Amino acid sequence: MMSASALSSVGVRGAPLRAGSGSKRGASSSSRRSGATRHVTSAAVAAPPGKVLYDTTVKAPGGTCTMVRVDSPDGTRTITFKATGMGGNLELHWGVVVEGGEGWGPPPDGSDLPGGSKPFGDGIATRSPFSGDTLTMSFPKGVGEDIERVVGIIVSGSEWLHAEGGDLAVPLRVATSGGLVKRLANAEKPNKEPFKGGNLFERFCRINEALDEATQSGPAGAAAIQAVLRLSAIRQLPWYAGGNYQGKDMAHKQEVVARRIAVAAVTAEDGMSRQLFRASLATVPRGGGNGDDIRLGILQIMRENGIKEGHRPGIEDKFIGQWHQKLHSNTTPDDISICEAYLHFLHTGNWDDFWDHLYTNAKLTKEDLAGMKAGWRTDGISGPAQHLPQMINPMKHFLWILKTTHGGGNVYGAMQFARDALPGDLKEDVDGMLKNKDEWWVPGKIVNIRERLHSHTKNGDINRDVVMLDVNLEKFFRQKVEAMDTKSMSADELLTLLDLAATNCCVGGDFQRMNTAMGFFRRAQGTDAGERWSPQWAQVMDAALDSVALAMEYHMDSLCSLVQAPASAVGAMAQCDPAYIANFGEEVVRGHSMFAVSKVIGDVRSHVRTAAGRSAWLLISAGKPDLSVHAGVCVVQSLEELQGQDLSATPTVVLSERLGGLEDIPPGVTAVITSAPVDLLSHIAIRARNVGVMLAAMTDPAGWAALTAMAGSGVKLSVVGEEVMMETSALTSAGGATTAAVAERLQLTPSKNSEEWMVTQEMYAPGIVGGKSSSLAALGAKVSALGVTDLRVPSSLALPFGAFDRALAADAGTAAVYGAGIKALAAAEAAGDASERREALTLLREVVVDLEMPEELAPHLDAAAAALGGGVDVDGLYTAVKRVWASKWTERAYLSRKACQVPDAELHMAALLMELVPADLAFVLHTSNPLTGDKDEVFGEVCVGLGEALVGNEAGSALSFTMGKAPGAAFAVRSLPSKPIAHQPPNGATTVIVRSDSNGEDLEGFAGAGLYDSVTVSPTTSRVVNYAEEWLVWDAGRRAALIQRLTQLAVAVEREMGAPQDIEGCVVGDTVVLLQSRAQI
């Protein structure tokens, strides 16, 4: 081995570069070899001891190259290249790419390189000889920490042995999408050398080189590939900028890219990456064939039909001459559409028909063809053509040549190419299905074929044409569903169609949450829930439909956000239409097959909800998760009429009787209510969820009339169970869109400035701690009096009011910065500058979290950690306490205090330390029904896991019930649970939750729930709930016993407290744990 620093004295200066090389690496990246890319684990490479972090084999001329990276315990990173079957006298022409960089560079000083390594002579690349068939280099700890990857090409003498995937590349850092997106975006910059915005061939070359890195980067990397290819496919990126190329190069490159993306669509480790690669495959031609047949084919047609070619005499045909130059130098999938339009013209004899056909079928215009320039030779294609009907048959054959390279974009063409790779039974079934494409049974047959194709692909070689056929069949299914008159179908027919539509999306197992939801749905389809279409059965089916809808929203919202980021980066650099880029992610979602699922859910849901006796409200977006109230001035107006307006100065609740689905939500709109159901994957639904605006539908005419009667009033909206409660409210500009104002100034209990760092339950008292701690102590004292078996309250301790002030005083440096933050906040408020206000609030929160731990506090926290289960360390506990203290300065809390006329200095924050109970179920009980005001009826909600899903108003329904307080009263189940996520303590371990306990919460007439934060010392984990096996849904007897027990508890707590209560608690095994009870507001 030799060091990198020795390279400067070993000299090959002025070594000739390959013709056409650029500054990137001193060698061309163009690959003209064919063959399949295979990713395998190699046992043939002898690696040093350590952890193998990369092990990949790629096909190269004559054989394969295996690349292995091993990280040793001492921090050394070692890379080994093993060339098998590639001949002798091999060298690696290579360089390093640093994080965020685009070009190659020399290895850093301190690198251990193979003996004989030397600079290539361009100041960029290095040449290192193989020892036999193996080459090893290493980077000791601290050397090359900024290197993103090592890249190279194997050479043998003067021959460049390009691997199929482009440059060999081994990551030295965990692959991320950031650098990949930056490089792909920069390459699309107009007039950026060497690409000048790039033509289609150059773009495919870049995609080919990026595929390995994209696969290693997970969904974000796959999204970058999808963003570029989709923007290219819809002509937001140029096809005809840059240099020329030969048809055989395009055919080969398209074939390689299509095949490698097909492999990634099957083998990527996570489902979302596989979905994104499938979407990418739908945007690329299949490639392959003999690319030279395109160039030679048009020449042969011209010669056989006596058409002038260059200086060769013949018929003067301007169109053929221009198109011939394009085919020779810049062939693309557009040539299929041009050929089809030309054939149409040959049949009609009218040149205008050429342009009509081209626009009608491919949306290509005269201006588009004029821009298809083949370098300096032409000014594009303008025509006209001579009418030569004798060329019809030769052109039909030429069309097939073009489709062989550029085709595969519809189910019929895909089947033609995949035919020879299919087993006989599958081949017959696809042919039969396409022959009878309009029969009622076709959707079911498509799904059956796709399931068998998936099994065939998983258990055999990955053939790009088979994968492309599967992608087209998935799309064909959606087209069949969209063509159906689903409004005339029965509810049972719609449920059957929904099963097919969801299965069509889940054939590859890419959507785990949807798979889980469909398990629930399929069990609900049976008789386990009772007689079909009985109220009990309908309640279960309603929860199942909700579960499917929420899974769909989760997957599609994730897809939207994944592709939007790289599209925005590429679009900005390429100067794409901003209006299109703004909606890019939403358009990707609308093009997904999941849209058929959304359509059918929308059609069947009303049938099921009616049978289940559900609310007339449909909640599409709950709005911002940190807001329990959305408020504004009620305006009854079509949302379409508000497009382009800015309502930020007057927060607005819009009542729009109808929505088209494509509207944007103007700034300042806090909620949109409509009278008709909204498609869950419509543009407006996705946008509302992304920007945190409440979106709901009130489908009952009487309910809608009651809402519109509030026009012109200030209103606030909140979600209670399955109901959206809208009521008039006095609003102030300070509260804005975040809170409703309280008419009178809130009176806070002043702090008694306790000298204690920590207080126990018997010391909880007003002025020492807040309402949460005091309530918990009161409940603990009354447990035996409540008369409920297996009932307890959790153990707790509290840092009282004044603890924060003492901690701040002990850290003079932080105290000074904190004081400056208070002054900055006052100045921003005086100036009315919302941006400066947010900056000051952020500074205050950061300052609080940076507080040093006072020496006197450490032993108290240590003792608290031990007393509350011993599962946390002191530093982690103190960090959680500081985050609770810091939540005084969230914008919502600050604006709420301002609206309530509470000076910041009067708000004191205690911190309640509690064991985090490992809840099986969590519940919230209101001892006076908040929906009806009935004081003799309890309203309750139950969810699986911790109560975060309930108090955080997470999407989905809880088990919601009402029950009278009188002995023997009946109960009514309003909804069954569908909240998809259950929150749990971290990996089953004991931990502590630190709860905010200010003197500004749980007050008479003002609960202030959620204004301040509660923080677990160790983050909670979550799991997807499998409602197909959840007893809360299927065991009616056990569910009834739970409801009766919780109602008994609610009545007992209200009796002891002497007023209606808002109660929170959980169930662990057979034990009920009371967490909190406060006066119900």
Side-chain angles (χ1 to χ4, degrees):
M1 302 285 280
M2 67 183 295
S3 69
S5 59
L7 285 174
S8 59
S9 61
V10 179
V12 178
R13 298 299 177 188
L17 299 183
R18 182 182 181 187
S21 66
S23 62
K24 175 183 174 184
R25 61 191 178 203
S28 169
S29 66
S30 176
S31 170
R32 300 181 182 177
R33 308 280 180 170
S34 61
T37 300
R38 298 181 61 239
H39 296 271
V40 299
T41 299
S42 171
V45 175
K51 185 176 182 181
V52 177
L53 292 183
Y54 187 78
D55 186 346
T56 295
T57 297
V58 298
K59 190 164 185 178
T64 60
C65 180
T66 298
M67 299 166 283
V68 178
R69 170 191 158 193
V70 176
D71 283 14
S72 302
D74 65 0
T76 298
R77 295 164 294 170
T78 300
I79 296 174
T80 301
F81 296 84
K82 182 177 176 64
T84 302
M86 296 181 66
N89 191 31
L90 301 179
E91 293 182 295
L92 185 68
H93 180 91
W94 66 282
V96 301
V97 178
V98 299
E99 183 179 14
E102 297 181 52
W104 292 22
D109 289 345
S111 306
D112 291 329
L113 308 181
S117 295
K118 54 193 176 184
F120 180 59
D122 56 3
I124 298 170
T126 299
R127 282 288 177 93
S128 297
F130 277 71
S131 176
D133 59 3
T134 303
L135 181 151
T136 299
M137 64 181 70
S138 62
F139 301 88
K141 184 177 181 179
V143 175
E145 297 293 339
D146 62 339
I147 297 176
E148 194 172 81
R149 62 196 186 280
V150 172
V151 290
I153 307 163
I154 296 176
V155 296
S156 178
S158 61
E159 186 177 4
W160 297 77
L161 306 179
H162 294 276
E164 181 191 62
D167 296 342
L168 301 174
V170 182
L172 273 188
R173 306 185 65 172
V174 176
T176 62
S177 63
L180 174 64
V181 171
K182 181 180 178 181
R183 288 194 303 277
L184 291 175
N186 285 343
E188 299 295 347
K189 185 176 181 180
N191 299 318
K192 179 178 175 61
E193 296 292 347
F195 302 116
K196 299 181 181 178
N199 59 37
L200 194 58
F201 175 72
E202 291 162 345
R203 187 168 299 119
F204 283 146
C205 289
R206 295 195 295 272
I207 291 295
N208 188 46
E209 290 191 356
L211 274 172
D212 278 343
E213 186 178 356
T215 303
Q216 296 155 20
S217 300
I225 299 296
Q226 159 65 356
V228 172
L229 288 176
R230 183 180 175 91
L231 287 170
S232 179
I234 59 176
R235 311 304 179 96
Q236 288 291 317
L237 301 178
W239 283 22
Y240 301 102
N244 301 331
Y245 50 85
Q246 294 188 14
K248 64 180 181 179
D249 292 336
M250 175 61 101
H252 169 68
K253 189 60 64 178
Q254 288 180 156
E255 186 268 338
V256 170
V257 168
R259 179 158 31 81
R260 296 185 69 212
I261 292 177
V263 169
V266 176
T267 63
E269 292 186 3
D270 62 276
M272 185 56 78
S273 289
R274 294 193 294 271
Q275 281 291 308
L276 285 160
F277 283 126
R278 284 177 66 86
S280 294
L281 195 60
T283 67
V284 299
R286 68 178 294 275
N290 185 348
D292 263 352
D293 284 350
I294 295 175
R295 180 176 61 88
L296 297 176
I298 191 65
L299 283 173
Q300 183 177 355
I301 290 174
M302 293 171 71
R303 290 169 183 174
E304 289 180 349
N305 291 274
I307 298 173
K308 181 180 178 180
E309 173 210 343
H311 298 294
R312 185 190 300 273
I315 301 171
E316 186 77 40
D317 191 308
K318 187 177 181 181
F319 165 76
I320 290 293
Q322 293 169 336
W323 189 29
H324 158 246
Q325 292 297 339
K326 178 187 183 305
L327 291 166
H328 183 80
S329 304
N330 217 340
T331 182
T332 69
D334 283 340
D335 292 314
I336 293 177
S337 301
I338 293 171
C339 189
E340 289 173 336
Y342 179 61
L343 276 166
H344 180 63
F345 155 72
L346 291 178
H347 281 92
T348 69
N350 185 342
W351 181 241
D352 288 340
D353 290 343
F354 170 85
W355 298 112
D356 290 343
H357 188 282
L358 197 61
Y359 184 77
T360 300
N361 293 277
K363 294 296 182 286
L364 290 172
T365 66
K366 292 181 180 181
E367 291 74 17
D368 291 327
L369 264 66
M372 296 179 183
K373 299 178 180 180
W376 53 268
R377 299 183 182 182
T378 75
D379 290 324
I381 300 172
S382 59
Q386 297 284 351
H387 184 226
L388 304 171
Q390 68 270 25
M391 291 176 57
I392 289 176
N393 286 332
M395 273 297 163
K396 285 182 177 178
H397 177 69
F398 188 63
L399 178 61
W400 171 252
I401 293 174
L402 290 170
K403 286 184 174 180
T404 300
T405 294
H406 297 307
N410 61 64
V411 69
Y412 300 98
M415 178 56 187
Q416 287 179 308
F417 295 120
R419 179 177 300 281
D420 291 341
L422 296 178
D425 58 335
L426 263 173
K427 191 183 308 180
E428 292 174 4
D429 281 358
V430 175
D431 286 337
M433 181 272 295
L434 292 176
K435 184 177 180 180
N436 297 280
K437 61 183 176 61
D438 295 323
E439 295 295 329
W440 63 269
W441 47 264
V442 164
K445 192 64 176 178
I446 294 173
V447 172
N448 173 263
I449 290 170
R450 290 197 60 228
E451 289 174 330
R452 291 154 60 199
L453 277 176
H454 176 70
S455 177
H456 173 72
T457 302
K458 275 292 191 183
N459 297 322
D461 291 334
I462 299 172
N463 181 286
R464 82 183 187 286
D465 288 321
V466 173
V467 181
M468 294 183 87
L469 173 62
D470 182 53
V471 169
N472 279 284
L473 284 169
E474 181 180 356
K475 183 166 58 176
F476 191 52
F477 178 96
R478 173 182 168 163
Q479 293 167 354
K480 301 303 293 183
V481 172
E482 290 180 337
M484 293 178 179
D485 181 12
T486 53
K487 299 296 183 185
S488 65
M489 290 183 172
S490 70
D492 283 316
E493 289 172 333
L494 288 169
L495 290 172
T496 300
L497 181 59
L498 175 60
D499 196 345
L500 284 175
T503 303
N504 181 57
C505 294
C506 296
V507 165
D510 298 342
F511 296 122
Q512 287 303 311
R513 191 175 292 192
M514 178 61 85
N515 288 338
T516 301
M518 286 305 296
F520 183 19
F521 171 81
R522 289 177 183 129
R523 185 173 179 185
Q525 277 275 63
T527 58
D528 288 352
E531 183 180 353
R532 196 170 181 84
W533 294 106
S534 65
Q536 295 77 17
W537 178 91
Q539 275 193 334
V540 175
M541 178 53 75
D542 183 60
L545 286 178
D546 205 22
S547 186
V548 172
L550 290 167
M552 174 188 67
E553 292 172 8
Y554 167 78
H555 293 304
M556 293 298 99
D557 288 352
S558 298
L559 175 62
C560 180
S561 61
L562 276 169
V563 298
Q564 185 63 53
S568 296
V570 174
M573 192 63 72
Q575 300 175 15
C576 297
D577 180 359
Y580 182 83
I581 296 299
N583 297 328
F584 182 86
E586 293 157 23
E587 290 302 319
V588 170
V589 168
R590 290 177 64 82
H592 195 277
S593 294
M594 201 71 82
F595 208 78
V597 176
S598 178
K599 170 182 170 64
V600 182
I601 289 176
D603 289 333
V604 75
R605 210 169 194 177
S606 60
H607 297 280
V608 176
R609 289 180 69 87
T610 299
R614 288 293 302 273
S615 165
W617 279 103
L618 291 171
L619 188 63
I620 296 94
S621 168
K624 293 185 179 179
D626 61 332
L627 299 185
S628 59
V629 173
H630 287 70
V633 175
C634 180
V635 172
V636 180
Q637 189 173 0
S638 167
L639 188 62
E640 184 178 3
E641 296 174 359
L642 295 173
Q643 297 300 285
Q645 297 190 31
D646 188 340
L647 305 174
S648 300
T650 308
T652 303
V653 172
V654 177
L655 272 58
S656 179
E657 186 171 5
R658 291 287 183 271
L659 294 174
L662 297 177
E663 298 92 342
D664 283 319
I665 301 174
V669 172
T670 64
V672 177
I673 311 297
T674 186
S675 65
V678 178
D679 195 304
L680 300 173
L681 293 185
S682 63
H683 167 90
I684 191 172
I686 298 170
R687 179 61 56 86
R689 291 192 293 269
N690 284 342
V691 301
V693 170
M694 179 182 284
L695 176 61
M698 162 47 70
T699 58
D700 175 56
W704 178 253
L707 296 177
T708 57
M710 300 184 194
S713 302
V715 297
K716 63 179 180 179
L717 297 100
S718 56
V719 179
V720 181
E722 61 180 326
E723 305 290 341
V724 177
M725 309 296 291
M726 182 164 132
E727 54 190 331
T728 57
S729 172
L731 300 173
T732 72
S733 58
T738 58
T739 182
V742 175
E744 296 182 2
R745 185 184 189 280
L746 286 180
Q747 300 299 316
L748 274 57
T749 301
S751 169
K752 293 183 178 179
N753 296 316
S754 170
E755 293 297 319
E756 302 292 335
W757 281 108
M758 192 79 66
V759 294
T760 56
Q761 288 191 22
E762 61 272 13
M763 300 168 67
Y764 295 172
I768 302 296
V769 292
K772 285 192 182 84
S773 301
S774 298
S775 171
L776 191 65
L779 288 173
K782 296 175 182 291
V783 165
S784 58
L786 294 175
V788 178
T789 58
D790 294 323
L791 177 69
R792 73 177 182 91
V793 297
S795 54
S796 70
L797 295 161
L799 278 75
F801 299 150
F804 166 72
D805 301 296
R806 295 171 65 193
L808 184 64
D811 186 349
T814 300
V817 180
Y818 184 82
I822 295 293
K823 292 180 180 178
L825 178 61
E829 193 61 49
D833 191 324
S835 177
E836 291 292 330
R837 181 185 68 206
R838 292 188 185 99
E839 288 187 15
L841 290 169
T842 299
L843 171 65
L844 287 169
R845 293 194 300 272
E846 292 173 349
V847 167
V848 173
V849 174
D850 284 341
L851 267 175
E852 295 290 333
M853 185 189 302
E855 290 185 10
E856 300 91 338
L857 178 57
H860 294 283
L861 290 177
D862 192 38
L868 296 176
V872 300
D873 62 76
V874 172
D875 288 338
L877 183 55
Y878 186 52
T879 296
V881 168
K882 291 188 292 183
R883 288 175 61 191
V884 169
W885 284 342
S887 69
K888 173 178 178 177
W889 300 111
T890 64
E891 186 171 31
R892 182 181 175 224
Y894 173 78
L895 291 176
S896 176
R897 290 195 300 273
K898 187 173 180 63
C900 299
Q901 306 174 59
V902 173
D904 295 325
E906 292 184 13
L907 192 286
H908 300 283
M909 184 75 74
L912 175 61
L913 281 54
M914 296 170 53
E915 59 171 314
L916 184 65
V917 179
D920 299 320
L921 303 171
F923 61 82
V924 173
L925 306 172
H926 295 270
T927 63
S928 176
N929 189 331
L931 302 178
T932 63
D934 188 347
K935 295 184 178 181
D936 295 321
E937 188 173 66
V938 173
F939 174 90
E941 291 188 310
V942 182
C943 73
V944 179
L946 297 171
E948 187 176 340
L950 280 179
V951 299
N953 194 30
E954 292 185 2
S957 297
L959 166 63
S960 177
F961 67 88
T962 57
M963 185 172 182
K965 297 177 181 177
F971 66 84
V973 174
R974 295 173 54 85
S975 65
L976 291 173
S978 64
K979 289 182 180 292
I981 296 298
H983 300 278
Q984 300 171 308
N987 301 317
T990 301
T991 191
V992 172
I993 183 170
V994 182
R995 305 184 68 188
S996 64
D997 191 29
S998 76
N999 60 343
E1001 301 170 81
D1002 302 337
L1003 305 178
E1004 185 84 26
F1006 181 75
L1011 278 178
Y1012 306 101
D1013 292 345
S1014 295
V1015 180
T1016 56
V1017 176
S1018 301
T1020 58
T1021 59
S1022 60
R1023 65 177 175 87
V1024 176
V1025 182
N1026 181 10
Y1027 285 111
E1029 303 297 332
E1030 177 53 54
W1031 71 262
L1032 211 56
V1033 173
W1034 301 103
D1035 193 334
R1038 190 176 174 187
R1039 185 172 63 236
L1042 174 68
I1043 291 172
Q1044 291 163 351
R1045 187 180 184 194
L1046 294 181
T1047 301
Q1048 177 192 3
L1049 172 65
V1051 172
V1053 171
E1054 182 185 61
R1055 182 184 65 243
E1056 290 298 320
M1057 294 299 188
Q1061 295 291 297
D1062 176 353
I1063 304 165
E1064 295 178 18
C1066 62
V1067 179
V1068 186
D1070 294 327
T1071 301
V1072 174
V1073 183
L1074 264 177
L1075 301 175
Q1076 177 174 298
S1077 185
R1078 57 191 170 202
Q1080 183 176 333
I1081 304 302

